[in-house]
């Protein structure tokens, strides 16, 4: 499956953005999906994940209560609604998917095999 992320941009602190991830080349059945980000000079980190059914989600502590992940398997898409953005949220955001990968494994650090290109989110203070 191929993934394409979009929706990044420049926003002021306190603002909102919605990232989208579109999948092609197959269905997302049995794929857990997630968003990761990488800030300049830092390692890539887990942001949010969602089980293949969409029934279970997980978030990094730094974004809990501000970000919301969702997916629509019928449309092969995944969204990340980001509210109350902070300058420290500035990063390149990547969507990823792993067939047979559990959400718990993703949260624990196991990386999905399929990745989209990144989309840059810049939050100004």
């Amino acid at each position: 499956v191929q993934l394409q992320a979009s929706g990044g941009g420049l926003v002021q602190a306190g603002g909102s953005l919605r990232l989208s991830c579109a999948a092609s080349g197959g269905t997302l059945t049995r794929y857990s999906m997630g968003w990761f980000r990488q800030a300049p000079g830092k390692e890539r980190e887990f942001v949010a994940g969602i089980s293949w059914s969409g029934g279970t989600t997980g978030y990094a502590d730094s974004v809990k209560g501000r970000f919301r992940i969702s997916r629509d398997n019928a449309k092969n898409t995944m969204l990340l609604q980001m509210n109350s953005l902070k300058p420290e949220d500035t990063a390149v955001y990547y969507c990823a998917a792993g067939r047979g990968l559990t959400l718990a494994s993703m949260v624990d650090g196991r990386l999905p095999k399929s990745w989209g290109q990144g989309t840059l989110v810049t939050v100004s203070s």
Side-chain angles (χ1 to χ4, degrees):
V1 62
Q2 291 79 47
L3 305 174
Q4 184 170 1
S6 61
L10 174 64
V11 64
Q12 289 187 334
S16 299
L17 279 175
R18 187 176 71 173
L19 304 184
S20 298
C21 179
S24 60
T27 67
L28 293 175
T29 302
R30 299 296 179 182
Y31 278 84
S32 289
M33 299 186 73
W35 289 95
F36 295 74
R37 67 187 182 187
Q38 187 167 18
K42 296 187 177 181
E43 294 185 351
R44 188 173 300 189
E45 64 176 357
F46 170 80
V47 175
I50 188 166
S51 62
W52 75 269
S53 69
T56 307
T57 58
Y59 298 90
D61 288 342
S62 59
V63 306
K64 281 181 180 177
R66 300 188 297 121
F67 290 11
R68 181 176 181 273
I69 189 172
S70 61
R71 66 188 291 171
D72 185 336
N73 288 341
K75 296 182 179 179
N76 273 3
T77 58
M78 176 178 64
L79 301 176
L80 183 68
Q81 179 66 43
M82 305 187 295
N83 299 324
S84 302
L85 283 162
K86 304 176 181 179
E88 51 263 44
D89 294 318
T90 295
V92 177
Y93 284 71
Y94 299 88
C95 62
R99 192 171 190 277
L101 176 67
T102 66
L103 176 59
S105 296
M106 191 186 308
V107 172
D108 285 343
R110 185 174 173 186
L111 296 178
K113 289 187 177 181
S114 299
W115 292 81
Q117 91 293 354
T119 185
L120 177 62
V121 172
T122 304
V123 184
S124 62
S125 57

